[in-house]
């Protein structure tokens, strides 16, 4: 697996105030890459959920900690699509402890990880080399997720 | 100057029902505002609580959690909770969360008043 | 002038493909900060023009060069608003050579710098310390540019 | 799979006029597509060229430059160029560029056919 430079790297502070900018970035990019409007919306949602989880769980709602997001416009196999990593410098935890819950038991909360896994082809949590956690998300651009033509969304 | 944290929620009461109409993105930074309004509305013990979502272009799971909690609160006071006028983007998160059957979702306020 | 950390830093490659993501980031952030919808649109346009100029002029349309954008949510005076810098590692030129033209002479092109200066309170080009150019743009959040309430834009 | 560089431009001819209807964001990466279509349309020497912009949610100065060039080309062949159905966001760049008086801008295609 070659490791080219991400096409976009962003560092934002862990204030929920900045989530709108981050998800709109992802929405604008995915539409431009050729993902369908609704698929782009779901990808932006998944990224938003992942960032919100870093703020809520990784940083326990501290507003001034760094979050890094890197975006590649190819899957690790070199196919058109997205590879997105989200990294923090929060306490390292067991990646297996981050999991979605049974949705049949309806209750407030506990939907984020489910959304991320449902939307993405692949979502892997791991400890970073030094400090913090890394989430890697992969989403291929398949004919199903592609629009034949770009349409404006007003 | 406006507080940038503001989410506008317009209130209406009609035939014993309370209709809440939030406008803006309901995400991690904004869902507490909606939660507050819902709790206030439930406090008045309406027979029906309608949340009109045509002005909401985006909702994340914290917004959905707020509405699940609203459903629980409504049941406690025997009120009927109905969502209506969801944009496609907002409807999509209810589908992903498999909550599109859990909630009563209508096309518009008039339908929501009958549901 | 205190120099706090930017709340958002982004590095993107100089491919026009990534402009949509960058301007949507700015649009999402400015709306969230309380700028009016139309004012937010103009700010995103100005940023888009500044990035396009780096691609067109700084990098002569090379697709793989870095552009850095840093965003602060205060003016240098500490007032609510925006400070945005855009930096490149292109050839250093005389900042005074970057100027808008007389709009009365209608012709294709030559609008970008005019748009940037018209939209922003302040826009200053300078040579970076080592290599490349830096554009600093300031836009205060005034009652005129503020919406009393946030409205969804579909 | 679609080329992500694509900008859809729908063509229509009506009463000696050519109507171009682009859909998508017209920015640095997309304006060459519109430019191509305009040059092709002008090549057919229509009496009138209408650009219907309701499907364009964003336009940058490269898009505006493309339209200024279209105006110059249209004048050369004595064709009338009319823009119509601009969204607020797109209209705003014509104002900033002080070109809202330079172009004939109409509310919709029907008006543009008479202008
Ligand atoms: N970035 C993260 N860092 C640490 N723990 C996380 C992270 N993301 C998720 N988790 C853990 O996984 C659980 C499930 O997350 P999620 O499905 O988003 O629901 P919720 O955030 O509502 O609890 C969280 O309660 C938390 O324990
Ligand atoms: N980032 C930049 N780096 C170098 N030169 C620039 C930059 N931005 C603008 N310029 C110079 O300023 C001129 C005016 O730019 P602009 O108003 O955007 O019009 P245009 O890009 O259509 O030429 C450009 O032609 C170029 O010479």
């Amino acid at each position: 697996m070659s490791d080219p430079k991400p096409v976009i790297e962003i560092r934002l502070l862990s204030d929920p105030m900045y989530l709108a900018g981050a998800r709109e970035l992802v929405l604008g990019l995915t539409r431009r890459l050729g993902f369908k409007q609704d698929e782009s919306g779901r990808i932006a949602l998944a990224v938003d959920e992942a960032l919100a989880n870093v703020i809520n769980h990784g940083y326990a709602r501290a507003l001034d900690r760094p979050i890094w997001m890197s975006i590649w416009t190819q899957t690790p196999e070199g196919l058109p699509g997205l590879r997105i990593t989200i990294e923090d410098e929060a306490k390292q935890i067991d990646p297996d402890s981050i999991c979605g819950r049974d949705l049949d038991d309806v209750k407030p909360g506990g939907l984020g990880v489910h959304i991320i896994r449902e939307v993405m082809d692949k979502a892997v949590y791991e400890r970073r080399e030094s400090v913090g956690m890394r989430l890697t998300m992969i989403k291929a651009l398949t004919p199903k997720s592609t629009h034949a033509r770009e349409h404006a969304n007003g | 100057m406006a507080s940038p944290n503001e989410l506008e929620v317009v209130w209406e009461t009609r035939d014993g029902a309370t209709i809440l109409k939030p406008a803006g993105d309901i995400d991690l930074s904004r869902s507490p505002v909606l939660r507050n309004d819902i709790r206030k509305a439930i406090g008045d013990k309406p027979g029906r609580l309608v949340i009109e979502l045509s002005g909401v272009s985006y909702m994340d799971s914290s917004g959905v959690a707020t509405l699940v909690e609203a459903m629980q609160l409504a049941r406690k006071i025997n009120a009927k909770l109905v969502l209506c006028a969801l944009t496609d983007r907002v409807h999509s998160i209810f589908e992903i969360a498999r909550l599109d059957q859990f909630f009563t979702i209508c096309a518009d306020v008039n339908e929501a008043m009958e549901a």
Side-chain angles (χ1 to χ4, degrees), chain A, chain B:
Chain A
M1 170 178 134
S2 67
D3 208 4
K5 259 211 273 192
V7 301
I8 299 182
E9 278 179 310
I10 167 169
R11 181 193 59 73
L12 64 156
L13 295 185
S14 57
D15 186 327
M17 177 87 124
Y18 308 127
L19 291 175
R23 66 177 177 260
E24 294 305 317
L25 163 77
V26 172
L27 186 65
L29 176 69
T30 47
R31 290 186 56 222
R32 187 62 190 72
L33 290 175
F35 283 96
K36 276 191 293 196
Q37 177 69 18
D38 58 346
E39 193 70 17
S40 295
R42 278 192 290 269
I43 294 169
L45 170 65
V47 169
D48 190 48
E49 296 290 342
L51 294 170
N53 274 348
V54 173
I55 296 175
N56 281 331
H57 305 299
Y59 290 140
R61 286 280 189 154
L63 301 178
D64 58 351
R65 307 295 304 278
I67 306 176
W68 296 270
M69 178 159 71
S70 304
I71 306 178
W72 292 257
T73 52
Q74 290 199 333
T75 68
E77 295 76 32
L79 298 172
L82 280 176
R83 170 158 62 115
I84 301 182
T85 64
I86 291 177
E87 297 174 283
D88 61 48
E89 45 180 50
K91 203 167 127 277
Q92 296 195 323
I93 57 168
D94 178 5
D96 293 334
S97 73
I98 304 175
C99 54
R101 63 171 174 79
D102 180 6
L103 292 193
D104 289 340
D105 174 22
V106 176
K107 57 183 178 190
L111 295 170
V113 173
H114 169 79
I115 290 170
I116 295 165
R117 295 204 187 279
E118 178 97 1
V119 169
M120 298 293 178
D121 297 341
K122 212 172 146 182
V124 179
Y125 288 90
E126 61 190 331
R127 293 187 181 88
R128 285 170 68 208
E129 290 65 29
S130 41
V131 62
M133 303 295 292
R134 175 189 301 119
L135 166 60
T136 302
M137 296 174 284
I138 312 285
K139 179 78 182 176
L141 184 62
T142 61
K144 193 182 141 258
S145 58
T146 308
H147 49 177
R149 305 285 180 136
E150 175 72 7
H151 289 282
N153 76 328
Chain B
M1 197 147 57
S3 150
N5 262 302
E6 222 164 328
L7 172 84
E8 181 183 32
V9 183
V10 173
W11 286 55
E12 192 193 326
T13 51
R14 196 197 294 181
D15 305 331
T18 299
I19 304 163
L20 297 186
K21 206 177 156 182
D25 287 8
I26 301 181
D27 67 359
L28 190 58
S29 68
R30 292 293 192 35
S31 54
V33 179
L34 178 62
R35 187 162 184 264
N36 235 356
D37 278 72
I38 287 175
R39 289 185 155 258
K40 247 189 266 168
I42 293 278
D44 298 342
K45 300 213 180 339
R48 180 181 296 259
L49 180 58
V50 176
I51 322 248
E52 209 270 14
L53 292 166
S54 65
V56 176
S57 48
Y58 179 80
M59 189 184 290
D60 76 354
S61 73
S62 74
V64 171
T66 303
L67 295 174
V68 169
E69 194 199 57
M71 181 67 116
Q72 295 173 336
L73 293 171
R75 277 179 183 161
K76 270 195 204 145
I77 60 159
N78 280 316
K80 173 124 191 137
L81 177 80
V82 187
L83 312 182
C84 70
L86 279 63
T87 61
D88 288 348
R89 195 172 173 192
V90 168
H91 197 271
S92 145
I93 187 175
F94 287 92
E95 282 169 8
I96 302 175
R98 314 232 177 92
L99 289 169
D100 45 337
Q101 301 303 319
F102 174 74
F103 287 103
T104 306
I105 299 180
C106 294
D108 55 35
V109 171
N110 289 338
E111 210 181 280
M113 291 296 289
E114 310 289 327

